[in-house]
Amino acid sequence: MNNARQKNLFSADHTEEGPYPWELAEASDQLTASIVFNRPLETVYMYLVPEALRDILQPGQRVRAPFGRGDRPTIGFCVDLGPPPKSSRLLKSLESVIDNEPLLSPKMLELTRWIADRYLCGWGQVLESVVPAGVKKKAGTRVVRFFQLTENFDAATKLPPKQQAVVEVLRSAEEPLEAEELTNKAGCGISPINTLRKKGIIQAVRQRTTSWTVEFDLIEKVDDLQLNNDQQQSLSFICDALRAKRHETLLLHGVTGSGKTEVYIQAIREVVSYGKQAIVLVPEISLTPQTIRQFRSRFDNVAVLHSHLSDAERHWQWQQIARGSVQVVVGARSAIFAPLANLGLIVIDEEHETTFKQETVPRYHAREVARRRAEMENIPLILGSATPTLEAWQDAHENRSRLITMDKRIENRPMPPVVIVDVRNDPHSQKGEGIGRALGNAMRMALSDNGQIILFLNVRGFAPALWCRACGESLRCPDCDITLTWHKDRQFALCHSCDYNTVPSNRCPSCGHSGMRMIGMGTQRLEAEVKAKFPGVKCLRMDSDSMSKPGSHDAALERFRHGEVPVLLGTQMIAKGLDFPNVTLVGVVDADTILHQPDLRATERTFQLISQVAGRTGRSSRGGRVLVQTCCPTEPAILKAAEHDYVGFVQPELAHRKEFQSPPFRKLARIILRGPNERDLQQQSQIFADTLQKKINEMESPACLLGPAPAPITRLKANYRYHIQLSATELEPLQQLWRAAVPELQKKVNVEFIVDVDPVSMR
Ligand code: ADP
Ligand code: ZN
C-alpha cells in the first residue's frame, strides 16, 4: 500500500481486505499484546501477535481475538505490546486488527486505566464508552478504490494505445487516482484498466475518504473585553499556573454575573498563544447557540461536542481535534475525552452540576477525570461556580486547590433582592394553586412595567399524583415505586422513571370510587394557571416534554430573548447559565421540591438551585427581584440563598457533614442490588453485606458498612432495589476491599449488583 497516500487520507480498514492469516509466531522473538474486553473485568489478557500483524498493531487499536466460551472472535482493545510473560503458558493468537490507526493515544490509555481503577469497572468498558460510536464506525467516510502502478511495471512494455494512455496518466500523477478521474484523464472506459490489472501492471488500493464535512456559519469576530480588577486578578492567578507548567486546580468562586466566562476566554487566549489547546466543559443544557457563539466569536477553530451530534458529525469533529486543527473544545461531560494532543488548560464551568457525573458504567465524574488528565499533562484545571460543591470548597480549604473569589457582579450591579414568601397560609396555595398572592401581584407589576418573568418549577407534567379521596390510594406505576404523573397535553399518566404510561379511568383502581383528584403542581398545570390568571399574556413552557425536538430549546430561548414572550416557565432547563437582561422578576414556585428528598445533598442542591435561579435576574441596569415560595421559611439553605451568602450556608453545612461523617469528609461507594423477587433480594443482600463485613474484618479494613436497606426508590422498572453503603476517609481502602471481595461475592451471591464510587444520585 502506498504509505504517502495513507497519511493524507482516512486510513483503510484492514478487515475490508479480509482477515489476516492466522499464524503462530516463531518461538524465539515473540511479541504479545495485552487486550482488554468490554466486560466488568479487571483482567488484561495476553495474546500472541502473528507475524503478519506485527508491523501494524499498536496500543489503542481494536483487535479481534478468540475469547470466552468456544473462543469466539471478540472485539477488544490492545493496551500494550511487549515480550511474552515469563510463565510461558500457551498463548492464543490474535485474529485481526480492526483499526488502522490507534483510537487512543498512550496518555488516554493511561487515563482510562485510571478511571477503571478508581470507579471499579473494567478497563475495556471504559474504552468502549470513551471512544464515540461514530469514531469506531468511521461514520461519514467511505472506502474508495484508487489505482496506481505496481512495482512490476516496466516502462519498456509495449501496450495498446488506450492502456498506454492509462499508464501515462498514472505515471505523471503524484497520487493514486480514483476510477472516474483516471478514465476521464486517459479518455477511455473501464476495460483498459481491468486489463492492466489482470496483467499485473496496475493495482487497486482501497482507501477511506471523508464524504462529509461540517459547514460553519461565519461568525463575526469580537474583541476581548477590558477586564475589571477582579477578573484581572483571577486571570493573573491562572496565568501564573499556566506559566509554571505544573498542575494546579483553581476554584473560581464567582457570584452569578461576575464575568467568569470572560476570564475563561482570556485564559484560553493565553493557552492558544503557546500553540496549545483547551477543553471547556459545561452542562449539556448550557450548550446553547449563545454559549457556542460566544466562543466562536473569539477563537478561529472551536469544536462543539454535544449529544445531538450525528455519528458522522462527531467522527468529523474527533478527527479535526486529533489532527490539531482545533483550538478549543466546548462540550458536555464526555468532551473531557477529546483527543487533543497538546492540551494546555481544562475549564469546568458550573462545577456543581450533577450531570458531570455519568450514571451508567463507567460511572465517572468529569471533574475527577479532568483533574487526573490535568495532573498527567501538568496543566491547570479551573473549576468555576457561584455555588461550588462542598467537595470543591473543602479541597480549597485544605490547600489541594487554590480559591479565587469574585464576589461582585460586573459593573457593580447589585445582586437581586430575594424575598422569601411563606405560603403556608396563602389563600391561593391552600386552594392548590401555584401562584400565591404575593407572586401574582409581583407578576402584574413586572408585566405593567414591560419586564419579563421567569417562573421556575422543578416538576414536569400537569400533576405529580392522582389521588383517590375515598381510600387515599394514589395511582402508581406497576413496575416502580412511584406515583404516576398526569400529563394533560397527552392525556395519560406517566411514570417519570420508566416511561410506563396509561390512560387512567375516572374510577379509583383500588376502591372503585369515582373522581380521582389531581395532587400537586407540575409545569403544565402552572402554564394553565398563568394563562387563566393573565389572559392574553404569552407564556412559554420549557421542560423535557415541550422541548424534546432538537433545536426547540434554542428556538424558545431566542423568542424569549427577543421579548416576544413575556413569561417563561419551566424546570431546571431554565435555571442554568442563561443571561437575559430584561428579566425583572423570577418566581421560584416551590422551593421545597428537593428539600425533602432522602439525599445527603438535599440542602446543598436546594441552595444551589435557588442561587442559580436568582442569578437569572437583575443582570442589566433595570434591576429585578426574586420571589421564593416555600413552606419552610426558616430553612437555612433557603435563607442563605436569599441572602446570596454562600459562605454563610457552607460553613454550618460542612460542620453538619463532619458531624454525620458524610462527604466530603468521607468517601462513599454505594452498592445497588436488584432483582424481581423482594424476599430473595433481601436475603441475597444480607449475604452480600455479611460477606463484605467478613472481608472488612479479615483485612482489618477501616471501611464502614451500612445496610443492606431498601433503596429510596424500592422498585424500579419491575425490579426491587436494595443498597449497601461503604465509607472510609479515603477511597483506597474501599477500592482494595471491593477488589478483594468481588470474586467471593460472585460465587456466593446470585443477584445483579452495581457499584457506584462517589455516588451523586442516592435514589
Ligand atoms: P457569570 O458566568 O459569572 O455568571 P457572565 O460570564 O455571564 O457571568 O457575565 C455576565 C455579563 O457580564 C455578560 O453579559 C458578560 O458579557 C459581561 N461582562 C463580563 N466581563 C465584562 C467586562 N469586563 N466588562 C463588561 N462586561 C463584562
Ligand atoms: Zn415505572
Side-chain angles (χ1 to χ4, degrees), residues 477-482 484 495-500 716-717:
C477 172
D479 292 336
C480 307
D481 182 25
I482 286 174
L484 296 178
C495 171
H496 282 184
S497 263
C498 73
D499 276 349
Y500 165 87
L716 194 67
K717 301 177 190 175

Coordinates of all heavy atoms in Angstrom, one line a residue, residues 477-482 484 495-500 716-717, ligand 2:
C477 N -47.1 3.5 39.4 CA -46.5 2.7 38.3 C -46.5 1.2 38.7 O -46.1 0.9 39.8 CB -45.1 3.1 38.0 SG -44.3 2.1 36.8
P478 N -47.0 0.3 37.9 CA -47.0 -1.1 38.3 C -45.5 -1.7 38.4 O -45.3 -2.7 39.1 CB -47.7 -1.8 37.1 CG -47.7 -0.9 36.0 CD -47.6 0.5 36.6
D479 N -44.6 -1.0 37.8 CA -43.2 -1.5 37.8 C -42.3 -0.8 38.8 O -41.2 -1.2 39.1 CB -42.6 -1.4 36.4 CG -43.2 -2.4 35.5 OD1 -43.8 -3.4 36.0 OD2 -43.2 -2.1 34.3
C480 N -42.7 0.5 39.2 CA -41.8 1.3 40.0 C -42.6 1.7 41.2 O -43.8 1.8 41.2 CB -41.3 2.5 39.3 SG -40.5 2.1 37.7
D481 N -41.8 2.1 42.2 CA -42.4 2.5 43.5 C -42.7 4.1 43.4 O -42.1 4.8 44.3 CB -41.5 2.2 44.6 CG -42.1 2.5 46.0 OD1 -43.3 2.6 46.1 OD2 -41.3 2.7 46.9
I482 N -43.4 4.5 42.5 CA -43.5 5.9 42.2 C -44.9 6.3 41.7 O -45.6 5.4 41.0 CB -42.5 6.3 41.0 CG1 -41.1 6.3 41.5 CG2 -42.8 7.6 40.4 CD1 -40.1 6.4 40.5
L484 N -47.8 8.0 39.5 CA -47.8 8.4 38.0 C -48.1 9.9 37.9 O -49.0 10.4 38.7 CB -48.8 7.6 37.3 CG -48.5 6.1 37.2 CD1 -49.6 5.3 36.4 CD2 -47.1 5.8 36.5
C495 N -45.1 7.4 34.2 CA -44.0 7.1 35.2 C -42.8 7.8 34.8 O -42.2 7.6 33.7 CB -43.8 5.6 35.3 SG -42.3 5.3 36.4
H496 N -42.3 8.7 35.7 CA -41.1 9.5 35.3 C -39.8 8.7 35.5 O -38.7 9.2 35.2 CB -41.1 10.8 36.1 CG -42.0 11.8 35.6 ND1 -42.1 13.1 36.1 CD2 -42.9 11.8 34.6 CE1 -43.0 13.8 35.4 NE2 -43.5 13.0 34.5
S497 N -39.9 7.5 35.9 CA -38.7 6.6 36.0 C -38.6 5.7 34.8 O -37.5 5.6 34.2 CB -38.8 5.8 37.2 OG -38.0 6.4 38.2
C498 N -39.7 5.1 34.4 CA -39.5 4.0 33.3 C -40.3 4.4 32.1 O -40.3 3.6 31.1 CB -39.9 2.7 33.9 SG -41.7 2.5 34.1
D499 N -41.1 5.5 32.1 CA -41.9 5.9 30.9 C -43.1 5.0 30.7 O -43.7 5.1 29.7 CB -41.0 5.9 29.6 CG -40.3 7.2 29.5 OD1 -40.6 8.1 30.3 OD2 -39.4 7.3 28.6
Y500 N -43.4 4.2 31.7 CA -44.7 3.4 31.6 C -45.8 4.5 31.5 O -45.8 5.5 32.2 CB -44.9 2.6 32.8 CG -46.3 2.1 33.0 CD1 -46.8 0.9 32.4 CD2 -47.2 2.8 33.8 CE1 -48.1 0.5 32.5 CE2 -48.5 2.3 34.0 CZ -48.9 1.2 33.3 OH -50.2 0.8 33.5
L716 N -38.0 -0.3 40.8 CA -37.7 0.5 39.6 C -37.7 -0.5 38.4 O -37.0 -1.5 38.4 CB -36.4 1.1 39.7 CG -36.0 2.2 38.7 CD1 -36.9 3.4 38.9 CD2 -34.6 2.7 38.9
K717 N -38.5 -0.2 37.4 CA -38.5 -1.0 36.2 C -38.7 -2.5 36.5 O -37.9 -3.3 36.1 CB -37.3 -0.8 35.3 CG -37.2 0.7 34.9 CD -35.9 1.0 34.2 CE -35.8 2.5 34.1 NZ -34.6 3.0 33.5
Ligands
ZN2 ZN -42.2 2.9 36.2

